[in-house]
Amino acid sequence: MNYDFSKTLPGTLNQDGIIVRIKYGSPAADNFTVFNSPPTPPDEPFSVNAACAQDTSPLKVNLGIGVYRTVDGNPWPLRVVEDAEKVIYDTKKVDRHEYLAIQGDRQFLRLAADLVFGFDANTNSSSTIKNRDRVVSIQTVSGTGANRLGAELLARHIRPGCVWIPDPTWANHHTIWELAGVEKKTYPYYDAGSKTFDFEATCRTLSVAARENDVVILHACAHNPTGADPSREHWKLLARLCQDKRLIPFFDLAYQGFASGDVDNDAWAIRHFFNEAPQLEFCVAQSFSKNFGLYGQRVGALHVVTPTATEDVSQKVLANLCHLVRGEYSMAPRGGAEIVRTVLDSEGLRSKWLEDLDTMSQRIKRMRHALYHELKNLGTPGDWKHIVNQIGMFTYIGLSEEQVHAIRERHHIYILKSGRISVSGLNEPNVEYVAAAIDEVVRTVA
């Protein structure tokens, strides 16, 4: 039986009446493809980093990418990481390249949770065990993976009305929650006038507009991109607000120990929410990129906090997390997590890690003070005290988008268009040059 397909499908028939090319859409659209969708904009920090890499000027300074650099402007493999790598290499475990469980390296997860919540790793008291049982942990592909996995868990099983994202924030928060299909709203985090955390506006917005089971994104320390953090008193009141409104806090913990040099200080907000607001259910996305210098190893964990320590609830949460992980990437990488586990599980290596954290955080603080004093000596218009009042890798320097463009074109200094700079890109040889460039564009570009 011969059937004339040409009457139903536009295309080209060969001499045997077989369709050899089907045309969809306009017959003239030979370049048609189902993937011909509008492009998404490039990620700004990585595009700025690429542009700086292509710049041949010897004067160029990269203040865009969020990675630690030494006084010479070079990457720094932490001393303790190199020690751990040697320990792992010398051990030569035959299973070192085997699959992990879907949950990940369980000893790594135990140590990671201890680091966040301050559990006493050396005791098995009933209170410690009970507190640990409130936390369900799973290894992730760094902090980004932890944020993404947590968003997917909440979107599927809690179905929040919306997620409240600080304005401004790490740009990937918007992408992650957009992909999770949850409506996004923002709360006014930053007061551009005082260059500090806007506590009043944050509380006013959340207390009036947020609804039960809405998610609230919170930076645990060293807010990205501003470097402006809430005070401890602010954190106490935010915990009470979240508890009274039955909101779901979602902490992004990317800089524990890197921000202040003190791992306990940098986790204070999370521990307060955990201990003083025990009815709260919340998530913590933990990254080891910055505080271990393991940027490309993608080491992270997601911790889900439940109000009660019951095995039934924990097993259900873990089962749902493992289901999502299995469908995404099966399991997280083991190499970087093994480095972190080796360090945290050794008293000697852990002490050396704390010294490395102090080295990095103190250099960041010195560069903040150096830039501030250079601008003060130049008499640069404006108040620059925020540079030393803010904390961590980033600061909102206060340049407009036009001034950012000018400092790049005139001085080969690479900054995000928001005016965010990575303080770790500063060093003794370039800080005077950077300050002079800031002074020039502030005086000449409106």
Side-chain angles (χ1 to χ4, degrees), residues 197 199-200 203 229-241 268-269 272-273:
F197 167 57
F199 173 72
E200 297 296 334
C203 286
D229 284 355
S231 67
R232 290 191 175 184
E233 190 60 35
H234 290 156
W235 280 123
K236 291 176 183 178
L237 294 172
L238 287 170
R240 188 183 308 166
L241 186 154
W268 189 92
H272 177 81
F273 275 58

Side-chain angles (χ1 to χ4, degrees), residues 349-411:
L349 291 178
R350 189 187 183 104
S351 295
K352 193 168 186 177
W353 174 58
L354 297 177
E355 293 174 4
D356 286 349
L357 286 176
D358 187 65
T359 295
M360 292 189 290
S361 63
Q362 290 302 319
R363 202 188 84 73
I364 295 288
K365 291 174 185 176
R366 287 198 305 274
M367 289 302 99
R368 286 183 174 276
H369 282 274
L371 180 59
Y372 170 71
H373 287 300
E374 290 291 344
L375 292 170
K376 290 293 290 182
N377 289 339
L378 290 168
T380 306
D383 182 1
W384 302 97
K385 194 68 177 175
H386 62 282
I387 296 174
V388 293
N389 289 338
Q390 294 168 0
I391 189 171
M393 178 174 284
F394 303 114
T395 191
Y396 252 22
I397 195 65
L399 300 184
S400 68
E401 189 170 341
E402 292 77 11
Q403 290 166 339
V404 168
H405 178 76
I407 205 170
R408 174 172 168 175
E409 294 301 312
R410 299 177 187 177
H411 304 284

